[in-house]
Short mmCIF file of all heavy atoms in Angstrom, two decimals:
data_model
loop_
_atom_site.label_atom_id
_atom_site.label_comp_id
_atom_site.label_asym_id
_atom_site.label_seq_id
_atom_site.Cartn_x
_atom_site.Cartn_y
_atom_site.Cartn_z
N TRP A 147 102.58 52.24 31.97
CA TRP A 147 102.25 51.82 33.33
C TRP A 147 103.53 51.81 34.14
O TRP A 147 104.28 50.83 34.15
CB TRP A 147 101.60 50.44 33.31
CG TRP A 147 100.93 50.05 34.60
CD1 TRP A 147 101.34 50.35 35.86
CD2 TRP A 147 99.74 49.26 34.74
NE1 TRP A 147 100.49 49.82 36.78
CE2 TRP A 147 99.50 49.14 36.12
CE3 TRP A 147 98.88 48.64 33.83
CZ2 TRP A 147 98.42 48.41 36.62
CZ3 TRP A 147 97.82 47.93 34.33
CH2 TRP A 147 97.57 47.82 35.70
N LEU A 148 103.82 52.91 34.82
CA LEU A 148 105.00 53.01 35.66
C LEU A 148 104.83 52.11 36.88
O LEU A 148 103.78 52.10 37.52
CB LEU A 148 105.18 54.47 36.11
CG LEU A 148 106.42 54.78 36.94
CD1 LEU A 148 107.67 54.64 36.10
CD2 LEU A 148 106.32 56.19 37.52
N LYS A 149 105.87 51.33 37.19
CA LYS A 149 105.87 50.42 38.34
C LYS A 149 104.78 49.35 38.23
O LYS A 149 104.12 49.02 39.21
CB LYS A 149 105.73 51.21 39.64
CG LYS A 149 106.87 52.19 39.89
CD LYS A 149 106.73 52.92 41.21
CE LYS A 149 107.88 53.88 41.44
NZ LYS A 149 107.74 54.61 42.71
N PHE A 150 104.60 48.82 37.04
CA PHE A 150 103.67 47.71 36.84
C PHE A 150 103.99 46.61 37.84
O PHE A 150 105.14 46.15 37.92
CB PHE A 150 103.79 47.19 35.40
CG PHE A 150 102.85 46.08 35.05
CD1 PHE A 150 101.52 46.33 34.83
CD2 PHE A 150 103.32 44.77 34.94
CE1 PHE A 150 100.64 45.29 34.47
CE2 PHE A 150 102.46 43.73 34.59
CZ PHE A 150 101.12 44.00 34.37
N PRO A 151 103.01 46.13 38.62
CA PRO A 151 103.32 45.29 39.79
C PRO A 151 103.39 43.79 39.54
O PRO A 151 103.68 43.04 40.48
CB PRO A 151 102.15 45.60 40.73
CG PRO A 151 101.00 45.87 39.82
CD PRO A 151 101.60 46.55 38.61
N LEU A 152 103.14 43.33 38.31
CA LEU A 152 103.06 41.89 38.07
C LEU A 152 104.24 41.38 37.24
O LEU A 152 105.00 42.15 36.65
CB LEU A 152 101.75 41.56 37.37
CG LEU A 152 100.48 41.97 38.13
CD1 LEU A 152 99.25 41.65 37.32
CD2 LEU A 152 100.42 41.31 39.50
N ARG A 153 104.37 40.05 37.17
CA ARG A 153 105.49 39.41 36.49
C ARG A 153 105.40 39.46 34.97
O ARG A 153 106.41 39.40 34.28
CB ARG A 153 105.60 37.94 36.92
CG ARG A 153 106.03 37.75 38.35
CD ARG A 153 105.83 36.31 38.80
NE ARG A 153 106.45 35.35 37.91
CZ ARG A 153 107.70 34.91 38.03
NH1 ARG A 153 108.44 35.35 39.01
NH2 ARG A 153 108.19 34.03 37.17
N SER A 154 104.18 39.56 34.44
CA SER A 154 104.00 39.59 32.99
C SER A 154 102.66 40.22 32.65
O SER A 154 101.81 40.41 33.52
CB SER A 154 104.08 38.18 32.40
OG SER A 154 102.94 37.43 32.78
N LEU A 155 102.48 40.50 31.37
CA LEU A 155 101.18 40.93 30.89
C LEU A 155 100.26 39.72 30.78
O LEU A 155 100.73 38.58 30.72
CB LEU A 155 101.34 41.60 29.52
CG LEU A 155 102.06 42.95 29.55
CD1 LEU A 155 102.43 43.39 28.13
CD2 LEU A 155 101.20 44.02 30.21
N PRO A 156 98.94 39.92 30.75
CA PRO A 156 98.03 38.77 30.65
C PRO A 156 98.34 37.93 29.42
O PRO A 156 98.64 38.45 28.35
CB PRO A 156 96.65 39.44 30.54
CG PRO A 156 96.81 40.78 31.16
CD PRO A 156 98.21 41.20 30.86
N SER A 157 98.24 36.62 29.56
CA SER A 157 98.56 35.72 28.45
C SER A 157 97.61 35.91 27.27
O SER A 157 97.97 35.64 26.12
CB SER A 157 98.50 34.26 28.92
OG SER A 157 97.23 33.95 29.46
N SER A 158 96.39 36.40 27.55
CA SER A 158 95.40 36.61 26.48
C SER A 158 95.59 37.94 25.76
O SER A 158 94.91 38.21 24.76
CB SER A 158 93.99 36.56 27.08
OG SER A 158 93.82 37.59 28.05
N PHE A 159 96.49 38.76 26.24
CA PHE A 159 96.68 40.11 25.70
C PHE A 159 97.32 40.04 24.32
O PHE A 159 98.43 39.56 24.15
CB PHE A 159 97.57 40.90 26.66
CG PHE A 159 97.72 42.35 26.32
CD1 PHE A 159 96.63 43.13 25.98
CD2 PHE A 159 98.97 42.95 26.38
CE1 PHE A 159 96.78 44.49 25.70
CE2 PHE A 159 99.13 44.30 26.11
CZ PHE A 159 98.03 45.07 25.77
N ASN A 160 96.59 40.50 23.30
CA ASN A 160 97.10 40.47 21.93
C ASN A 160 96.73 41.78 21.23
O ASN A 160 95.86 41.82 20.37
CB ASN A 160 96.53 39.27 21.17
CG ASN A 160 97.21 39.07 19.83
OD1 ASN A 160 98.39 39.39 19.68
ND2 ASN A 160 96.49 38.57 18.85
N PRO A 161 97.41 42.86 21.61
CA PRO A 161 97.04 44.20 21.14
C PRO A 161 97.61 44.50 19.76
O PRO A 161 98.66 45.13 19.62
CB PRO A 161 97.66 45.11 22.20
CG PRO A 161 98.90 44.37 22.61
CD PRO A 161 98.57 42.90 22.50
N GLU A 162 96.94 44.10 18.73
CA GLU A 162 97.47 44.23 17.37
C GLU A 162 97.66 45.68 16.94
O GLU A 162 98.40 45.94 15.99
CB GLU A 162 96.54 43.50 16.40
CG GLU A 162 96.50 41.99 16.62
CD GLU A 162 95.63 41.27 15.62
OE1 GLU A 162 94.97 41.96 14.80
OE2 GLU A 162 95.61 40.03 15.63
N LYS A 163 97.00 46.63 17.64
CA LYS A 163 97.12 48.04 17.26
C LYS A 163 98.10 48.81 18.16
O LYS A 163 98.25 50.01 18.00
CB LYS A 163 95.74 48.70 17.34
CG LYS A 163 94.70 48.08 16.42
CD LYS A 163 93.34 48.72 16.60
CE LYS A 163 92.28 48.04 15.74
NZ LYS A 163 90.93 48.64 15.97
N ILE A 164 98.77 48.12 19.07
CA ILE A 164 99.62 48.80 20.05
C ILE A 164 100.79 49.51 19.37
O ILE A 164 101.41 48.97 18.46
CB ILE A 164 100.14 47.79 21.11
CG1 ILE A 164 100.71 48.49 22.34
CG2 ILE A 164 101.18 46.85 20.52
CD1 ILE A 164 99.69 48.94 23.32
N LYS A 165 101.04 50.75 19.79
CA LYS A 165 102.14 51.54 19.24
C LYS A 165 103.27 51.72 20.25
O LYS A 165 104.42 51.85 19.86
CB LYS A 165 101.62 52.92 18.82
CG LYS A 165 100.56 52.87 17.72
CD LYS A 165 100.04 54.26 17.41
CE LYS A 165 98.97 54.21 16.33
NZ LYS A 165 98.40 55.56 16.05
N GLU A 166 102.91 51.76 21.54
CA GLU A 166 103.91 52.03 22.57
C GLU A 166 103.64 51.20 23.80
O GLU A 166 102.51 51.17 24.30
CB GLU A 166 103.90 53.52 22.94
CG GLU A 166 104.84 53.89 24.07
CD GLU A 166 104.71 55.35 24.49
OE1 GLU A 166 104.19 56.15 23.69
OE2 GLU A 166 105.13 55.67 25.62
N ILE A 167 104.68 50.54 24.31
CA ILE A 167 104.64 49.86 25.60
C ILE A 167 105.73 50.50 26.46
O ILE A 167 106.92 50.36 26.15
CB ILE A 167 104.88 48.35 25.47
CG1 ILE A 167 103.76 47.70 24.64
CG2 ILE A 167 104.96 47.69 26.85
CD1 ILE A 167 104.00 46.23 24.34
N ASN A 168 105.32 51.19 27.48
CA ASN A 168 106.25 51.90 28.35
C ASN A 168 105.97 51.48 29.78
O ASN A 168 104.96 51.89 30.37
CB ASN A 168 106.08 53.42 28.18
CG ASN A 168 107.19 54.21 28.84
OD1 ASN A 168 107.75 53.78 29.84
ND2 ASN A 168 107.50 55.37 28.29
N MET A 169 106.84 50.66 30.34
CA MET A 169 106.62 50.09 31.67
C MET A 169 107.90 50.17 32.48
O MET A 169 108.44 49.16 32.94
CB MET A 169 106.11 48.66 31.55
CG MET A 169 104.83 48.55 30.72
SD MET A 169 104.33 46.87 30.36
CE MET A 169 103.71 46.36 31.94
N CYS A 170 108.40 51.38 32.68
CA CYS A 170 109.63 51.60 33.43
C CYS A 170 109.43 51.21 34.90
O CYS A 170 108.33 51.31 35.44
CB CYS A 170 110.04 53.06 33.36
SG CYS A 170 110.30 53.68 31.69
N HIS A 171 110.52 50.79 35.54
CA HIS A 171 110.52 50.50 36.98
C HIS A 171 109.46 49.46 37.34
O HIS A 171 108.87 49.51 38.42
CB HIS A 171 110.30 51.77 37.79
CG HIS A 171 111.35 52.81 37.59
ND1 HIS A 171 112.55 52.79 38.27
CD2 HIS A 171 111.40 53.89 36.76
CE1 HIS A 171 113.30 53.82 37.88
NE2 HIS A 171 112.63 54.50 36.97
N SER A 172 109.20 48.53 36.44
CA SER A 172 108.15 47.53 36.67
C SER A 172 108.71 46.30 37.36
O SER A 172 109.93 46.14 37.53
CB SER A 172 107.52 47.12 35.34
OG SER A 172 108.42 46.31 34.60
N GLN A 173 107.81 45.40 37.75
CA GLN A 173 108.19 44.11 38.31
C GLN A 173 108.19 43.01 37.25
O GLN A 173 108.27 41.82 37.57
CB GLN A 173 107.20 43.73 39.43
CG GLN A 173 107.20 44.67 40.61
CD GLN A 173 108.55 44.69 41.32
OE1 GLN A 173 109.14 43.65 41.56
NE2 GLN A 173 109.03 45.88 41.63
N ILE A 174 108.12 43.41 36.00
CA ILE A 174 108.06 42.47 34.88
C ILE A 174 109.26 41.51 34.89
O ILE A 174 110.42 41.94 35.06
CB ILE A 174 108.03 43.26 33.55
CG1 ILE A 174 106.64 43.81 33.27
CG2 ILE A 174 108.50 42.42 32.39
CD1 ILE A 174 105.66 42.81 32.72
#
């Protein structure tokens, strides 16, 4: 998610199968 606009990911987010998190140029 390029340029993700929010301060964080959802607190309920628990992606146990996630392989890649790519959030360049984000507002994280």
Side-chain angles (χ1 to χ4, degrees):
W147 194 325
L148 183 68
K149 299 182 179 179
F150 182 75
L152 302 178
R153 291 168 53 89
S154 70
L155 291 168
S157 58
S158 61
F159 187 46
N160 190 30
E162 295 182 355
K163 301 176 183 177
I164 195 81
K165 298 177 181 178
E166 176 185 340
I167 297 174
N168 191 330
M169 303 172 74
C170 302
H171 299 277
S172 72
Q173 296 298 315
I174 282 281

